[in-house]
Amino acid sequence: MALVQVGDLRLNVVERGRGKPLLLVHGYPLDHSMWREQLDDLAGAYRVIAPDLRGFGASAVTSGVVTMEQLADDIARLLDALNVSEPVVFCGLSMGGYVAWQFALRHRSRLARLILCDTRAAADSPEAAAGRIKTAERVIAEGAAVVADTLLPKLFAPGTFQHQPQIVEDTRQVILTTKPEGIAAALRGMAQRADVSSRLREIDIPALLVGGELDAISPPVEMRQITSQMPRARFVEIENAGHMAPLEQPAPVNAAIREFLRG
Ligand code: MLT
């Protein structure tokens, strides 16, 4: 792990391996450790770069609102700081996917391929956005446990709770150690994020979409819909996985990523 100065922020980054750059961008309210099953596995063939986004993990926290555009720009500046000039493969899960859309739209020349795991293209409904603003206030007042308690049941497939409880417990610990200001800022940013559905056709690079069969937040039907609107995309559904497919079922996820990157 290394702290990298990116403008006026310090971002924590884990790097493994050598080769073409592959960015792994975590979901909310997590950190790079959600990619632990991908980091070493993919490092044989790629320079794998897994940052903690602003507000998460060991990275600096900024309060107020953190937009998906800002997070995408942070990544572009991080690549500069790491001297990565060749186009990257950007793999993002859920909120990491919202950041990936903005990276694709704002930093197109820096992108070779996209991998979108368990994510959405639509914006929040007004009700969902209002709910996030309320949750942001509660997190500041009561702490990160508010989010852990409400979000964890939605993140995993039933089989994960039954057969891999350690994954759930590890994820709880990550959430509980995340700073409330960082969680609240991302919630406000997600609440105001743009609907990119009408811009999917513009993203005409090769794209892989990966989604858990039992994902309750970004279900396969929605992932398939996104795939059908992208010119060069394909979808792989992961059995017995929920919203955290790369953590719950790493073998088929890693196989899908490898096959996509070979093609
Ligand atoms: C995530 O996993 O990043 C979140 O579920 C995204 C969201 O709350 O929309």
Side-chain angles (χ1 to χ4, degrees):
M1 295 211 294
L3 287 174
V4 178
Q5 193 70 36
V6 176
D8 53 2
L9 286 176
R10 271 202 190 177
L11 296 184
N12 183 48
V13 185
V14 171
E15 282 198 74
R16 299 262 204 288
R18 287 202 196 158
K20 290 192 182 303
L22 167 61
L23 264 170
L24 302 176
V25 179
H26 64 81
Y28 156 92
L30 307 174
D31 67 11
H32 72 274
S33 66
M34 63 143 286
W35 298 111
R36 59 179 171 266
E37 300 291 347
Q38 284 70 46
L39 266 164
D40 288 330
D41 193 72
L42 298 170
Y46 301 92
R47 176 180 177 186
V48 185
I49 305 168
D52 291 341
L53 293 170
R54 175 201 297 238
F56 296 94
S59 286
V61 179
T62 51
S63 54
V65 185
V66 174
T67 65
M68 302 303 107
E69 288 86 343
Q70 265 176 308
L71 294 174
D73 293 352
D74 286 349
I75 297 280
R77 281 198 297 264
L78 172 67
L79 293 174
D80 290 339
L82 296 175
N83 294 315
V84 175
S85 52
E86 71 177 290
V88 299
V89 177
F90 191 126
C91 172
L93 179 131
S94 200
M95 183 181 75
Y98 309 157
V99 178
W101 298 130
Q102 292 306 325
F103 192 87
L105 296 169
R106 295 163 77 85
H107 302 284
R108 170 71 183 82
S109 64
R110 305 198 74 155
L111 192 57
R113 286 169 181 246
L114 261 182
I115 303 173
L116 297 146
C117 304
D118 302 277
T119 196
R120 312 187 63 204
D124 280 358
S125 66
E127 297 73 33
R132 289 207 206 256
I133 302 300
K134 279 211 183 99
T135 306
E137 285 162 11
R138 280 194 65 195
V139 171
I140 296 290
E142 299 168 40
V146 167
V147 173
D149 293 342
T150 51
L151 191 59
L152 277 170
K154 298 185 204 152
L155 290 184
F156 301 101
T160 304
F161 288 101
Q162 252 182 309
H163 306 300
Q164 305 189 83
Q166 195 56 46
I167 293 181
V168 181
E169 199 38 47
D170 292 348
T171 305
R172 181 191 304 279
Q173 289 313 317
V174 170
I175 298 175
L176 291 179
T177 52
T178 303
K179 302 256 184 345
E181 290 75 17
I183 296 179
L187 278 167
R188 296 184 189 110
M190 286 194 286
Q192 66 180 61
R193 76 185 190 281
D195 183 345
V196 295
S197 309
S198 64
R199 304 199 61 186
L200 294 172
R201 296 220 168 277
E202 290 170 44
I203 304 175
D204 58 358
I205 52 171
L208 170 69
L209 285 87
V210 177
E213 166 191 30
L214 303 169
D215 184 342
I217 296 174
S218 37
V221 63
E222 194 171 331
M223 297 284 293
R224 283 185 202 284
Q225 175 73 10
I226 297 171
T227 309
S228 71
Q229 290 169 42
M230 296 179 75
R232 298 172 70 189
R234 71 177 99 127
F235 175 62
V236 174
E237 186 172 310
I238 306 295
E239 279 181 22
N240 298 318
H243 189 60
M244 300 300 300
L247 200 49
E248 298 175 87
Q249 298 297 342
V253 170
N254 294 358
I257 291 175
R258 279 177 189 286
E259 194 196 326
F260 170 66
L261 294 179
R262 263 198 308 268

